[in-house]
Amino acid sequence: MGLTGLARWINAPPDGLLAIRKNIQENHNGFLKGPWNLAVKSFRSTLSQTPGIHLPLERTMFTLQMNDNVFVLLEDPLAPTRADVVQAIADKTAPPNFHPTHYRTTFLTLNPPGALEQLLAQLKARWVPVRQTSTNNAQRGQASGHQLLIEGQVFGIGSDWLVRAGIVTMTGGEMKGMLLEAEYLPLPGLNVGPAADGTSELLSNLLTSVLPNVPDAKTVAVTISEAQWEDVLWDREEDEKAQKEVAQAKERESNGENDDIFVYGLEDISIKRRGDWTGVDRDRRSAFLIIGALKSEGIL
């Protein structure tokens, strides 16, 4: 698993995938590795329909199925962001002992596919799926309840690059452009030089080169800053555990228990950092970017 970048080809033609495949194989000596299939659903809360409860904005939930994992993005527009809370505490404008029950964004990883829907049904949770009304007889997406599908192919370029390209199709059959993802395998870490907005010149150049030379092509890079990603990765239990460990370390230091200069401070060093571009962490970041891109365009 490596460093990954994402781009949208908004006005891709119906034969866009074939054009990309031809470009990769003829101009980059690339080769086909297999299919790339993702499925996206969206839900909305119906809590405001409960008697006595009045909410100006409803919560939303988006799910993206990638292989055997389902990535879930929950958004509560009435809740504060973690960055806002941290800033309020730093400015001393937050109420004493202010700890919100949740933040605006919650990002989960679930397994197996279908478990979320079963849980919502068992709990009789106030969430309903948002499904596109079909204008034809396309039943593939409707049968599974998916709002849209991303279907394409994965290509290899040498031993260092993977390129994923897929057509975004609503369940009603309407095409919504394409998604392209480039993965540079030798670099699994995040600290390899992305700009402040989360872009990488290395990845951007590769994505630009695999796009066919089409007049008036509308493309846009899909990025996330490290500050935003830290908010997404935030975990209350891990945060509380870290704060507890810091307090215990300070207490040991004040008691003179850490007087060995050759080992003090090394016990918490970890080779793998949370959020590295490896395993499910790479898939999590990719899923978050894809959901964000589709939301920003109003597709979800």
Side-chain angles (χ1 to χ4, degrees), residues 11 15 26 30 62 88 118 128-129 138-139 145 149-150 157 162 172 179 195 212 249 252 260-261 271 295-296:
N11 61 342
D15 62 346
E26 294 183 357
F62 307 92
Q118 293 178 7
V128 294
Q139 298 296 324
L149 300 172
I150 300 169
I157 299 178
L162 290 179
L179 274 168
R252 291 195 302 268
D260 189 340
I261 62 173
I271 295 176
K295 282 176 65 269
S296 66

Side-chain angles (χ1 to χ4, degrees), residues 206-270:
L206 189 280
L207 287 169
T208 301
S209 68
V210 300
L211 283 169
N213 187 12
V214 178
D216 302 323
K218 296 180 181 179
T219 60
V220 60
V222 183
T223 64
I224 178 175
S225 68
E226 288 306 304
Q228 291 175 305
W229 187 234
E230 283 299 318
D231 271 0
V232 173
L233 289 180
W234 180 83
D235 182 280
R236 181 182 298 275
E237 293 182 356
E238 288 189 11
D239 195 22
E240 292 175 348
K241 180 181 178 181
Q243 293 178 11
K244 183 178 180 180
E245 290 176 350
V246 170
Q248 290 174 344
K250 290 181 179 180
E251 183 179 355
R252 291 195 302 268
E253 183 178 3
S254 63
N255 294 335
E257 298 176 11
N258 294 311
D259 54 355
D260 189 340
I261 62 173
F262 297 103
V263 299
Y264 176 54
L266 299 178
E267 61 272 14
D268 292 328
I269 291 179
S270 175

Side-chain angles (χ1 to χ4, degrees), residues 75-92:
E75 291 187 340
D76 182 355
L78 301 180
T81 66
R82 180 172 176 267
D84 291 339
V85 174
V86 171
Q87 187 62 47
I89 294 175
D91 296 339
K92 298 182 179 180

Side-chain angles (χ1 to χ4, degrees), residues 34-201:
W36 187 43
N37 297 312
L38 307 174
V40 181
K41 296 181 184 180
S42 61
F43 301 79
R44 61 178 176 83
S45 170
T46 59
L47 192 61
S48 63
Q49 299 177 13
T50 304
I53 297 180
H54 302 283
L55 297 175
L57 295 171
E58 284 283 14
R59 300 174 183 178
T60 54
M61 178 166 57
F62 307 92
T63 69
L64 185 146
Q65 181 179 336
M66 183 185 300
N67 300 320
D68 293 330
N69 292 316
V70 176
F71 302 96
V72 183
L73 175 63
L74 284 154
E75 291 187 340
D76 182 355
L78 301 180
T81 66
R82 180 172 176 267
D84 291 339
V85 174
V86 171
Q87 187 62 47
I89 294 175
D91 296 339
K92 298 182 179 180
T93 58
N97 300 319
F98 176 60
H99 297 290
T101 58
H102 63 281
Y103 293 119
R104 183 169 301 174
T105 299
T106 303
F107 197 50
L108 307 171
T109 304
L110 303 180
N111 184 287
L116 176 63
E117 288 81 353
Q118 293 178 7
L119 179 62
L120 294 178
Q122 291 173 1
L123 297 178
K124 297 182 180 180
R126 296 185 178 276
W127 291 93
V128 294
V130 178
R131 295 174 180 165
Q132 182 192 26
T133 302
S134 177
T135 57
N136 55 30
N137 294 324
Q139 298 296 324
R140 178 179 49 182
Q142 289 181 341
S144 60
H146 296 134
Q147 185 176 355
L148 64 85
L149 300 172
I150 300 169
E151 298 177 307
Q153 297 170 329
V154 181
F155 305 92
I157 299 178
S159 59
D160 291 345
W161 288 99
L162 290 179
V163 176
R164 302 174 182 89
I167 299 173
V168 180
T169 308
M170 306 299 290
T171 55
E174 182 182 4
M175 180 179 171
K176 291 290 186 178
M178 293 186 64
L179 274 168
L180 294 94
E181 185 177 65
E183 182 177 354
Y184 188 56
L185 299 174
L187 296 178
L190 296 178
N191 57 342
V192 293
D197 64 352
T199 60
S200 167
E201 184 177 358

